[in-house]
Amino acid sequence: MKKLLLFSVLSSLIVFVSCTPKPKPEITEQQKSALRSDAKTFMESLKSVLIKEIQTHGIVSAVSVCSDTAQVLTNNYGISKGIYIKRVSFKNRNPMNVPDEFETKVLKMFEEMHSKNQIKPETEYVELIEEKGVSKVRFMKPIIVQPECLNCHGAEEQISSMVKEVINKIYPNDKAKGYQIGDLRGAVSIQKTL
Ligand code: HEC
């Protein structure tokens, strides 16, 4: 009887200990600011490749360069930083840029904020998630349409017929036209394993 009691006390202790949640790791200010700067550098390098190509070879050539470079840069940048980084949008041009479940949730939130004029240059979203026992920090930042984007993402009449031709050829299912300055274009999305 004593043995049985001891056994049950011990086993409930084991259950108790193994059920106590592990303390959730917190995202430090330092980690946040590193992610912020990764997103910024990534967007700046994409933009500088784009602008350089437009200036040296023209807008038509920029489309094809951009379509390859964006994905290559996305991969290389992520690998060099040990992170996953990409751009996502509900109205995506590249099928690779469809948002996943988490990105969809955050993009919807950004859209809601955008409709209330609440998107600011410092707007961002950070969340710590557990995926298959791995802690990951996910970071997203809105991308807003600027004047120079309209050559390739604006209304039909703002995009030259040559540019349209190239876009339609590479992206037959392009949804990323018809934007105006100030529209929410999508978001930069970063995942980093802790
Ligand atoms: C020279 C044409 C061109 C210009 C100018 C341009 N883009 Fe794009 N954009 C593209 C192409 C091509 C893609 C598909 C690239 C890829 O494969 O990721 C793209 C993709 C994107 C994506 C990823 C989501 C998607 O639709 O696939 C975002 C976000 C984006 N552009 C935002 C912008 C913003 C913001 C600007 C202005 C600062 C801009 N673009 C200017 C051609 C252009």
Side-chain angles (χ1 to χ4, degrees):
M1 190 61 203
K2 249 191 187 162
K3 256 189 189 160
L4 195 67
L5 191 73
L6 186 68
F7 175 76
S8 64
V9 166
L10 264 182
S11 51
S12 50
L13 193 69
I14 288 167
V15 169
F16 174 74
V17 168
S18 56
C19 286
T20 315
K22 272 182 264 163
K24 212 177 176 193
E26 300 255 330
I27 310 163
T28 62
E29 250 334 291
Q30 207 179 358
Q31 281 167 327
K32 266 192 221 173
S33 95
L35 289 164
R36 214 170 279 144
S37 106
D38 285 338
K40 188 160 178 266
T41 315
F42 170 70
M43 288 306 283
E44 278 170 1
S45 46
L46 259 183
K47 195 164 164 182
S48 82
V49 171
L50 187 70
I51 302 278
K52 214 187 208 160
E53 190 58 28
I54 293 174
Q55 283 167 350
T56 49
H57 297 105
I59 191 87
V60 177
S61 150
V63 178
S64 21
V65 167
C66 187
S67 73
D68 303 330
T69 316
Q71 294 302 325
V72 172
L73 253 181
T74 301
N75 289 336
N76 289 352
Y77 195 83
I79 291 163
S80 74
K81 294 273 177 179
I83 57 179
Y84 152 111
I85 187 164
K86 66 185 297 193
R87 296 177 304 170
V88 291
S89 172
F90 286 139
K91 283 169 63 180
N92 56 299
R93 174 155 291 167
N94 189 326
M96 304 272 286
N97 300 333
V98 174
D100 68 15
E101 202 180 316
F102 177 91
E103 289 159 341
T104 300
K105 173 185 86 175
V106 180
L107 268 179
K108 278 191 182 149
M109 199 184 80
F110 285 161
E111 276 190 343
E112 171 91 19
M113 290 174 73
H114 187 258
S115 73
K116 296 180 189 156
N117 251 329
Q118 289 169 344
I119 299 272
K120 301 200 175 69
E122 63 273 19
T123 301
E124 63 188 22
Y125 183 85
V126 193
E127 190 180 317
L128 206 81
I129 57 154
E130 282 265 323
E131 221 177 60
K132 296 172 192 136
V134 181
S135 297
K136 272 186 189 174
V137 52
R138 297 204 59 164
F139 174 94
M140 283 178 71
K141 196 163 181 64
I143 301 173
I144 301 294
V145 175
Q146 294 153 36
E148 64 268 31
C149 317
L150 300 180
N151 287 318
C152 298
H153 296 295
E156 292 286 338
E157 62 273 16
Q158 285 170 313
I159 308 173
S160 82
S161 50
M162 271 162 83
V163 168
K164 256 188 256 179
E165 206 176 297
V166 184
I167 291 176
N168 292 341
K169 206 162 126 202
I170 314 179
Y171 307 100
N173 298 315
D174 178 34
K175 300 196 212 77
K177 289 196 208 85
Y179 280 99
Q180 293 177 358
I181 297 170
D183 280 351
L184 179 68
R185 175 68 183 83
V188 194
S189 171
I190 303 182
Q191 285 186 47
K192 193 173 169 52
T193 308
L194 292 183

